[in-house]
Each structure stands twice: as structure tokens, then as C-alpha cells.
Amino acid sequence: MNKSFQRVRNLTPAQAIVAYYFVAIAFSFLLLRLPGVLQPGVSMTYIDTLFTAVSAVSVTGLTVIDVSQTLSVFGIIVLMVILQFGGIGIMSIGTFFWILLGKRIGLRERQLIMVDHNQSSMAGVVKLITEIVKILLLIEAIGALILTVYFTQYFYSFGEALLHGVFGSVTATTNGGFDITGASLQPYVDDYFVQIVNMLLIILGAIGFPVLIELKEFLSNETKNFRFSLFTKITTSIFGMLLVVGTIGILILESVNAFKGMSWHQTFFGALFHSVSSRSGGLVTIDITQFSDATNVFMSALMFIGASPSSAGGGIRTTTFAIAILFLINFARGKNTIQIFNREIELIDVFRSFAVLFLAGTMVIVATMLLIITEPNASIVEILFEITSAFGTCGMSLGLTGDLSSVGKVIVMILMFIGRVGLISFLFTIGGKTDPTKFHYPKERVIIG
Amino acid sequence: MNKSFQRVRNLTPAQAIVAYYFVAIAFSFLLLRLPGVLQPGVSMTYIDTLFTAVSAVSVTGLTVIDVSQTLSVFGIIVLMVILQFGGIGIMSIGTFFWILLGKRIGLRERQLIMVDHNQSSMAGVVKLITEIVKILLLIEAIGALILTVYFTQYFYSFGEALLHGVFGSVTATTNGGFDITGASLQPYVDDYFVQIVNMLLIILGAIGFPVLIELKEFLSNETKNFRFSLFTKITTSIFGMLLVVGTIGILILESVNAFKGMSWHQTFFGALFHSVSSRSGGLVTIDITQFSDATNVFMSALMFIGASPSSAGGGIRTTTFAIAILFLINFARGKNTIQIFNREIELIDVFRSFAVLFLAGTMVIVATMLLIITEPNASIVEILFEITSAFGTCGMSLGLTGDLSSVGKVIVMILMFIGRVGLISFLFTIGGKTDPTKFHYPKERVIIG
Ligand SMILES: [K+]
Ligand SMILES: [K+]
């Protein structure tokens, strides 16, 4: 069509997303250095501003500052804007590129909106994505409205209720993990209404853009014989299963510890909320340092898995985990193909899952070892938790973030970045251009394991 | 040929090995309950006897008893016999089954010794394996001779030197990990001759039976145009690389800690020996509780990888790790095939590697979490170290073994068992019988990571 579009077309999706990221971080850094962002008398070092920018753009929520004690109201609004860029912005830009460039061949969404590759479809893609962004913003607005009205019982001034309502809705929907209460959602530990609203918003942000697109398509009833894509079926199934497993796990592990002596509903919500939130939300209703080491390692695993691809979350992503599990089950059963929901998984996707899993595992181990060296006063559970929280862009912490050394901050920033961009965005575009092997060597078997 | 052979033929290799294992453990348990095995006045609970039997048969060396304070000379001889069963015995039986049943198709060794599947080749296989066992026993004997003569300078009586020489050679060659000094090889921390002999014996035991077979074939010069198998090339390369990486890693991590103020040769041997030994040997020349947490986590990773398949070692095995790494490199380069040493890796072997890696990783995480619960007084590094040591059948410990609860002992026993049998022995035979999928569903792509 025109040259700039051609240039965009020549960008691989990963390159585009990474480029968007760097620009967003640089821009956010500058925004956070604006006068009036900080409360009077408060100052922030450059590395702490950078850390906050990376954490906000990657919607992680790990923070070396106490937002409620550091940012002015204007600063909080700036932070909200950055969370929108990082959460919904990257989610939609990412989806846009994937769909437009058709790199993720066979993606159901692509079939839904574009018949062929000609440019006229571009408008359709833009329109669709704009619509979904509008829906997400609408969800945020509804969340903000509900929370604001509800919060009037907690705050004396309407202004404060509004600030807490809007920020609460934004941080939940974008899976931002930041808070302006100074103690996350701990003030609402017995307010199940606030918790339910937050959980719903977190899940809508973490379930993945394509799922939302299909849901809209399904509900609008416009497409004949509509069926949900394999992706949507897999990711929502595993998402739901992990929520249940996470809830039961935390419930059992803490029944003799933090939940001891609590009523059934306190226990249930305590487990459910942190199961939901550890998958990228990052908000807490309990001081999680009270949880046992076993629970914290368990939650580290949940954070490591993270949210859906093309969502506001991070981690290895649900589908990666699901395909690895499905592969193992089928392999043990002696089947060479993975069949699920009357479809067969492509071999290349199995490979990708394992590439992500292996690389992510190695990265977490190496980062943990580095932090053991750079943070001699921290326990290994604190470190592992911090690392998986960064990679899963979750944002929960056992308190290490504020004590991180400069090297430690850089390592955590790198993990937040990679966790949000997604390992596959690197691996995929590189590994994706199937470089047809010119000649083949004879194959030879090797003893494994 | 005859019925019993037919029955053996119907056993899958994994079933055969697991069966051999259970028999060996039961038999060893009974041996260790014989009168005269313990020193006068010493007693052992049933679970401790079982733990010792499992640890010895799996040639791990984790022990809830101090051998030097518990077993009589007769008991030590019994332990040596069990180590032979567990180390060389299972290595040869395993190799025998794999070769004979031709389950590991394409294995170079099979081509070397059998032209077809008819029974006349069975005699050849038996002959070859017997020969290799003889060579290993010869290596053990030479090691025992050297160590005994050398040890006369350390011990007053020849009898004691003999006992320490023979046991030392057996425990090193079988990668047994047990010691009768009460402090592993710590008394020889400055005796590099003893360390070099031990390292050579450990490596010969850990490098894998097929490698030894091919080395013999190569040195005997009997086969025209002999070439080493892909398996041998891969496993020896990665084995060597991991030794180097392990040495450098420990060296760097401990240069500011345990090695501080030591001479270069003390530092070098301290790092080299524990790099070699962590890959299944299990002997130590330094009190490893002096190592930093970072080093202990690093050594946990080395133990997790472990030794070659079809060796006296455990872990996920070198080839599993090598293929995973090769896959990742090739994948990132955009290649669909893994080419190495002018050969192509079979797809099924890539799948197996990932199955082993994923399952082993999950197993270690779950076992670690269980031990966090059952051993509330242990640190997570102690636990992780203990678990990977058991799975890698290494036998090093930060001191937790003796304090394990009964449930903890059972978990560690299970890991030693699985680590020694090898995860693939389960996965392989099950996944190996390619159950040809009757019909195919349409394939559909899924967003990963
Ligand atoms: K978050
Ligand atoms: K051992």
C-alpha cells in the first residue's frame, strides 16, 4: 500500500513487539521523571525510575518504591497510563502483528477476519482490535465505577474513592500488580466483593486477547457455525484447571499454617484469590511472608506458568504448559500424535513448547544462582519467588525487591522484560523461518536417559 | 531356542531391569540383615536397612548410617558385593537386554555383534558383555592394587590398607559413593595421587558401557573401518564439556569462599574433583557444607544431569541434556533437523529427551516441596541438594540424610530407584511401542509462549 506499511510488514512480530517495548520503557522513564510525579520532598534514583518504568510497562508490579508514599496523584495517573500501554497496548499490538502478518498460521482469528493477505483486510484487523480495546476499556470503566461507588464506604472523600476505584480497576485488568494502598488488597481481606471484582478483572486481562475476540464473535452471533478455536479451548481449560489446582494446593499447604483457625470462607477466599493472582495479577489480600516455604515454592511454580499467550500476563504461558503435559501423557501412552478436542497438535508447536520450557527453566535457575551471589542476605526461597514473580510478571514479593542490589535490580528487570515479551517471541521468529535443510545426513539413534 | 529365553524375550528391557532391581534390593536387604554384618553392639532399624540396601543397589551412597561405625569387616564386604550388583551388574544386564532385544534400534553396538535377530547371536552378546565385565573387574582390581600398595603408607596394618584399597576402588568404579573412612576422601584432600586414581575410576564407571565396548573394539583393531557411534561421540563430548564447565563453575563460585587463601593446585583439584564426583561418583575431598549456597545449587544441577546412559551413574543422563541443548541451538537457528557429527538425530529421540527432562524436573520440584513439608528443620538448599543427589544417584549430602523423617527416607529411596533405573526405561518401553494412530484429526496451530 505505502512504504511505511511495507516497512512494518518487513518487521517480524517479535521485532515489532520488542521495539514497541523499548520505546514504551524509554517513554515511561521520561514520564516518571516529569516534575510533579513525586510527592513533595521525595526523590528517586535513576535506576529506581528505570526499574519502575520496566515494572510498569511489563505490568509486573514489583517495585523498589512504595507507590503510596512516593507518587503524587499526578504520578499515580501517569502510572495508570503506563499500565494501559504495557497491558492492553502490548496485548493488542502483539495480536495485531500476529494476525496481520499471519505468522501464526492457522490461527482461528485470522480466518475470522481476513480472507486473504490483501491490504483491504488490514482495515478489518484494525477495526476488530480497536473494538476489543474498546471492550477492555469498557470493562475497566465498569470495574472502576463499581469499585468507586463501593469504596465510598471506605473513604471519607469521593476523590479518594475515585482514585482507588479507577486505579484498582486498571491495575487489576492490566494485571499490573501495583497498588496505592501501601499494602496491596490486604485492607480488603474480609471484603469478598472487592476480591471477586478484582479476580474477574484479573482473569479477563490474563485469559488472552484471542479468547476475548472469539467470545465477542460467539456472543454477537454473527458468524454461522461458529466454533471456538483449539487455542481458546486449550488455554481456557488449562487456565481453569490451574486455578482449581492452585486453590486446592494453597488451601492444603496453608491449612495448618496461615489459615489455621480461620473460617471456611476466609480459607477458601485466601486460597482462591492467591491462586488467581499468582498467575499474573500480583495482588495479595494476605501478607504472603506468612505463607510457608512450601506454599511459596508452589506459588513460584504457578507464577512460572503464568497466563495465556497474547494476554496482559507473563510466564511460559498456559499453552506451553498444556502442550508439554499433553505430550507427556500421550508419549507415555505410546501415541505419536497429540490429539485433543478433536484436533491434532502440530509437531512444531510441541517443539516450541519444549524450547520455551527448557529455556525458561534454565533462565530461572541461572538468575536464581546469580541472585544468591548478589543478594547474600536473602533466603533462596525469597530469591526463587522474586525471580519467578518477575518472569511471570506477577509482582508478588516476599520483600526482597526493596533490598535488591543494583545488579539484582538489573537481573530482575531483564526477567520482567523477557517474561512479558514472551520467550517464544524471540525463539519463534528466529526458529520460525524454516530454513530448509539443503542436505540430510544419515539418521542415527542415540540412547537417551 | 528354549522357553525361558522366549519368556525373557517377551520381557521389555525396562521390565527386566526393574525386575532385576527389585530382586537385587530384596536380596541386599536380606544380606544386610545377616548376623555379623554389624559391629558388635550396633543395631539397625528395618527402614534403615532398606534405605542402605536401596542406596547400595542404586549405587547412590546416601546413607543414614556411618558405615565405618556400623558395619563389620564382613558387613563392608557384603556392601562391596551389593555395589558390584548395583553398579556393574545392572549396567551389564541393562546393556545385555537393550542389545539382545534390539529395542534401541540402530545402536552401533548391535551392528557390531549381531548380524540378525537369530539366536546364534545371543552367544556373541553374552560373550561380549562377559568380556567387558571382566575388563571392568580388571580395572577395579588394578585400582584396588594401586590403592592398597599406596595406602600402606597411611595404615599400620596391611589388612587395613587392603580393605581401604579394595573398597575404595569398588566404590569409585561402581560410582558407589559409600566410604569406610567416616569422612569420604577428606583424609586425602592433599593427596592428588589418590584423587586422580579415584577420578579415573569414577569416570570409567560413569562414561557408559557402550563407550567401553566401542573403545575395546577400537583398541583391538579387529573391525575394519571402525567408527565410533554417534552415541559415544555425543556422550563423551558432553561428559567432557560438563566436567570442564563444572570445574570452572565451582572454581569461580568458591574462589572467594571455601578456596580463599588456598594454593592454585588445591583450588584446581578441589574444583575438578567435585565436578567429576558430582556427576555420580559422590565422593568428596572437602566438607561440602563449607561451599556456598550458589555452589551447592550449581552442583545440584550437575547431579541432576548425571552420567551417561547404560553406566553406573544416574540423573537425566548426558545424552538427554545434550540433545535438549542441540535442539535449542538448532531451533534458534531456524533449523528443523539436528545435525551433529555428520549425523542426524531422530525425532523420536528429541521427544524422549524432552519427556525425560520435563518429568525429571517436575519430579525434583514435587519431591523438594514434599521434603520442605516433611523436614521442617532443613533449609531448602539442603533439601534440593539431597533430592538431586538421590535422583543423580550421586550420594553427596549437606548432612540431611541422617536427619530424614521416615516419609523423607521413602521419598529419597524412590528417587534413588528412579534415578538409577532411568526415567526413559519407563517412558521408553511404554512410549516405544508405536501404537499407530488409526485416524487423524485435522491439525490446528496453537499460540505458544
Ligand atoms: K502483575
Ligand atoms: K554415587
Side-chain angles (χ1 to χ4, degrees):
Chain A
M1 201 191 232
N2 58 42
K3 280 206 173 165
S4 71
F5 177 59
Q6 276 302 326
R7 220 172 299 157
V8 170
R9 250 194 112 89
N10 289 336
L11 271 186
T12 67
Q15 286 168 335
I17 292 167
V18 171
Y20 177 90
Y21 244 100
F22 274 114
V23 172
I25 288 171
F27 188 64
S28 305
F29 177 85
L30 293 176
L31 280 180
L32 288 169
R33 298 302 295 188
L34 283 182
V37 160
L38 303 182
Q39 288 179 17
V42 176
S43 71
M44 203 148 75
T45 62
Y46 284 106
I47 187 157
D48 284 356
T49 308
L50 182 63
F51 193 93
T52 309
V54 172
S55 184
V57 171
S58 67
V59 285
T60 303
L62 286 174
T63 173
V64 288
I65 56 164
D66 182 340
V67 172
S68 64
Q69 301 292 316
T70 312
L71 297 189
S72 66
V73 172
F74 172 61
I76 290 172
I77 293 170
V78 166
L79 182 59
M80 267 195 284
V81 172
I82 300 176
L83 288 179
Q84 298 285 27
F85 278 124
I88 298 175
I90 291 186
M91 180 166 29
S92 53
I93 292 243
T95 310
F96 173 75
F97 275 105
W98 289 128
I99 296 177
L100 189 71
L101 301 185
K103 286 285 179 187
R104 287 191 167 161
I105 309 143
L107 189 65
R108 173 83 181 148
E109 290 68 46
R110 218 185 109 223
Q111 301 162 353
L112 284 176
I113 39 179
M114 52 204 299
V115 186
D116 56 16
H117 278 274
N118 64 41
Q119 279 79 13
S120 64
S121 63
M122 193 192 167
V125 177
V126 172
K127 186 163 162 273
L128 185 92
I129 297 220
T130 315
E131 243 175 87
I132 301 300
V133 170
K134 275 186 201 154
I135 291 177
L136 267 174
L137 292 176
L138 187 68
I139 292 171
E140 271 186 356
I142 294 170
L145 184 68
I146 294 173
L147 288 176
T148 301
V149 171
Y150 191 80
F151 279 166
T152 51
Q153 63 178 303
Y154 282 106
F155 298 97
Y156 291 111
S157 78
F158 176 76
E160 247 186 304
L162 180 69
L163 189 67
H164 280 263
V166 174
F167 189 89
S169 180
V170 170
T171 199
T173 312
T174 62
N175 279 233
F178 283 89
D179 66 85
I180 54 171
T181 65
S184 201
L185 290 184
Q186 288 182 56
Y188 311 106
V189 61
D190 290 318
D191 192 326
Y192 303 140
F193 179 76
V194 171
Q195 293 182 34
I196 289 172
V197 171
N198 268 280
M199 285 191 280
L200 287 176
L201 295 176
I202 288 175
I203 291 173
L204 283 170
I207 197 69
F209 220 89
V211 176
L212 298 178
I213 294 182
E214 289 186 24
L215 211 59
K216 179 195 161 291
E217 195 73 23
F218 174 69
L219 295 174
S220 73
N221 231 337
E222 279 167 13
T223 313
K224 268 189 188 174
N225 298 321
F226 177 83
R227 72 164 193 86
F228 285 104
S229 69
L230 183 61
F231 167 74
T232 291
K233 286 176 187 164
I234 290 181
T235 198
T236 48
S237 311
I238 197 83
F239 202 97
M241 273 187 258
L242 281 169
L243 287 193
V244 173
V245 170
T247 305
I248 295 173
I250 297 173
L251 211 141
I252 291 174
L253 290 171
E254 288 304 315
S255 60
V256 290
N257 185 32
F259 295 158
K260 206 171 177 177
M262 284 190 183
S263 68
W264 72 265
H265 48 86
Q266 284 173 316
T267 305
F268 173 72
F269 270 92
L272 176 66
F273 190 87
H274 296 94
S275 172
V276 171
S277 190
S278 64
R279 300 282 305 295
S280 255
L283 300 170
V284 296
T285 60
I286 295 176
D287 175 5
I288 54 168
T289 57
Q290 290 178 10
F291 283 166
S292 67
D293 277 358
T295 306
N296 286 328
V297 172
F298 179 67
M299 280 170 64
S300 297
L302 293 177
M303 296 193 290
F304 179 75
I305 297 170
S308 292
S310 298
S311 76
I316 58 167
R317 315 290 152 98
T318 49
T319 46
T320 307
F321 182 69
I323 289 184
I325 293 277
L326 285 172
F327 163 74
L328 210 63
I329 293 170
N330 279 274
F331 189 79
R333 279 188 189 159
K335 287 184 180 167
N336 284 338
T337 57
I338 303 181
Q339 299 179 345
I340 182 98
F341 294 123
N342 299 336
R343 285 291 180 279
E344 204 171 298
I345 305 283
E346 285 267 7
L347 203 60
I348 184 75
D349 289 329
V350 177
F351 279 143
R352 277 186 195 142
S353 296
F354 278 116
V356 170
L357 204 57
F358 184 56
L359 208 60
T362 308
M363 232 172 55
V364 165
I365 292 170
V366 170
T368 300
M369 278 183 53
L370 289 175
L371 255 68
I372 288 177
I373 299 169
T374 64
E375 320 300 324
N377 296 324
S379 82
I380 194 171
V381 175
E382 285 172 338
I383 290 172
L384 178 71
F385 196 89
E386 192 81 10
I387 291 295
T388 48
S389 179
F391 176 70
T393 69
C394 174
M396 292 185 194
S397 174
L398 296 174
L400 180 57
T401 327
D403 301 331
L404 283 176
S405 65
S406 294
V407 179
K409 281 176 190 167
V410 171
I411 293 169
V412 170
M413 277 193 269
I414 293 172
L415 279 164
M416 291 193 285
F417 186 84
I418 296 177
R420 184 71 185 98
V421 172
L423 273 173
I424 204 64
S425 285
F426 294 115
L427 278 177
F428 173 73
T429 27
I430 319 168
K433 33 174 165 141
T434 17
D435 175 23
T437 312
K438 298 291 179 302
F439 60 96
H440 286 268
Y441 288 113
K443 292 189 180 181
E444 186 175 334
R445 299 297 301 279
V446 166
I447 315 176
I448 307 287
Chain B
M1 203 191 238
N2 59 42
K3 281 204 173 171
S4 71
F5 178 58
Q6 277 303 328
R7 222 170 297 156
V8 170
R9 251 193 112 90
N10 288 337
L11 270 187
T12 68
Q15 287 168 335
I17 292 167
V18 171
Y20 178 89
Y21 245 100
F22 274 114
V23 172
I25 288 170
F27 189 63
S28 305
F29 178 85
L30 294 177
L31 279 180
L32 288 169
R33 298 303 295 189
L34 281 182
V37 160
L38 302 182
Q39 288 178 18
V42 177
S43 70
M44 205 146 78
T45 62
Y46 284 106
I47 189 161
D48 284 356
T49 307
L50 182 64
F51 193 93
T52 309
V54 172
S55 184
V57 170
S58 67
V59 284
T60 304
L62 286 174
T63 173
V64 287
I65 55 164
D66 181 340
V67 171
S68 64
Q69 301 292 316
T70 311
L71 297 189
S72 66
V73 172
F74 172 62
I76 290 171
I77 293 171
V78 165
L79 182 59
M80 269 195 283
V81 172
I82 299 176
L83 288 178
Q84 298 286 28
F85 276 124
I88 299 176
I90 291 185
M91 180 167 29
S92 53
I93 293 243
T95 310
F96 174 76
F97 274 104
W98 290 126
I99 297 179
L100 188 72
L101 302 187
K103 285 285 176 186
R104 286 187 169 164
I105 308 142
L107 190 67
R108 173 82 180 147
E109 291 70 44
R110 217 184 110 223
Q111 301 160 354
L112 285 175
I113 36 177
M114 51 203 300
V115 186
D116 55 16
H117 276 274
N118 63 42
Q119 279 80 12
S120 65
S121 64
M122 191 195 168
V125 177
V126 172
K127 187 163 162 270
L128 184 93
I129 298 220
T130 315
E131 247 175 84
I132 302 299
V133 170
K134 275 185 200 156
I135 291 176
L136 268 176
L137 292 176
L138 186 68
I139 291 170
E140 271 186 356
I142 294 171
L145 183 68
I146 294 173
L147 288 177
T148 301
V149 171
Y150 190 81
F151 279 165
T152 51
Q153 63 179 302
Y154 282 105
F155 297 97
Y156 290 111
S157 78
F158 177 76
E160 247 187 302
L162 180 70
L163 188 67
H164 279 263
V166 173
F167 189 88
S169 179
V170 169
T171 198
T173 312
T174 61
N175 279 235
F178 283 90
D179 67 83
I180 55 171
T181 66
S184 200
L185 290 183
Q186 288 184 55
Y188 309 107
V189 62
D190 290 317
D191 192 326
Y192 302 141
F193 180 77
V194 170
Q195 293 182 34
I196 289 172
V197 171
N198 268 280
M199 284 191 281
L200 287 176
L201 294 177
I202 287 174
I203 291 173
L204 284 170
I207 197 68
F209 220 89
V211 175
L212 298 177
I213 293 180
E214 289 185 25
L215 211 59
K216 181 197 160 291
E217 195 72 21
F218 175 68
L219 294 175
S220 74
N221 231 337
E222 278 167 13
T223 313
K224 268 188 187 175
N225 299 323
F226 177 84
R227 72 162 194 86
F228 285 104
S229 68
L230 182 62
F231 168 73
T232 290
K233 286 175 186 165
I234 290 180
T235 196
T236 49
S237 311
I238 197 82
F239 203 98
M241 273 188 258
L242 282 169
L243 288 193
V244 174
V245 170
T247 305
I248 295 173
I250 297 173
L251 211 140
I252 292 173
L253 289 171
E254 287 304 315
S255 60
V256 292
N257 185 31
F259 295 159
K260 206 172 179 178
M262 284 190 183
S263 68
W264 70 264
H265 46 87
Q266 285 174 314
T267 305
F268 174 71
F269 270 91
L272 177 66
F273 189 87
H274 296 94
S275 172
V276 170
S277 190
S278 64
R279 299 280 305 295
S280 253
L283 300 169
V284 296
T285 62
I286 294 175
D287 175 7
I288 53 169
T289 57
Q290 291 178 10
F291 283 165
S292 69
D293 277 357
T295 307
N296 286 328
V297 172
F298 180 66
M299 281 171 64
S300 297
L302 293 177
M303 296 193 290
F304 179 74
I305 297 170
S308 294
S310 297
S311 75
I316 59 167
R317 313 292 151 99
T318 49
T319 45
T320 306
F321 182 70
I323 289 183
I325 294 276
L326 286 172
F327 162 74
L328 209 63
I329 294 169
N330 279 274
F331 188 79
R333 280 187 187 160
K335 288 183 181 168
N336 283 337
T337 57
I338 303 180
Q339 297 178 345
I340 183 95
F341 295 121
N342 299 337
R343 286 289 180 282
E344 206 171 297
I345 305 283
E346 285 267 8
L347 202 63
I348 184 76
D349 288 329
V350 177
F351 279 142
R352 276 184 195 145
S353 297
F354 278 119
V356 170
L357 204 57
F358 184 56
L359 208 61
T362 309
M363 233 172 54
V364 165
I365 293 169
V366 170
T368 300
M369 279 183 52
L370 289 176
L371 254 69
I372 288 176
I373 300 168
T374 63
E375 321 299 323
N377 296 322
S379 82
I380 194 171
V381 175
E382 286 173 335
I383 290 171
L384 178 70
F385 197 89
E386 191 82 10
I387 291 295
T388 50
S389 180
F391 176 69
T393 69
C394 174
M396 291 184 193
S397 175
L398 295 174
L400 180 57
T401 327
D403 300 331
L404 283 175
S405 65
S406 295
V407 178
K409 283 176 190 168
V410 171
I411 293 169
V412 170
M413 277 193 268
I414 292 171
L415 278 164
M416 293 194 282
F417 186 84
I418 295 177
R420 184 70 186 98
V421 171
L423 272 172
I424 203 64
S425 284
F426 294 115
L427 279 178
F428 173 72
T429 27
I430 316 168
K433 35 174 165 139
T434 19
D435 175 24
T437 312
K438 298 292 180 297
F439 58 97
H440 287 270
Y441 288 114
K443 292 187 180 182
E444 185 173 337
R445 298 298 301 277
V446 167
I447 316 176
I448 306 289

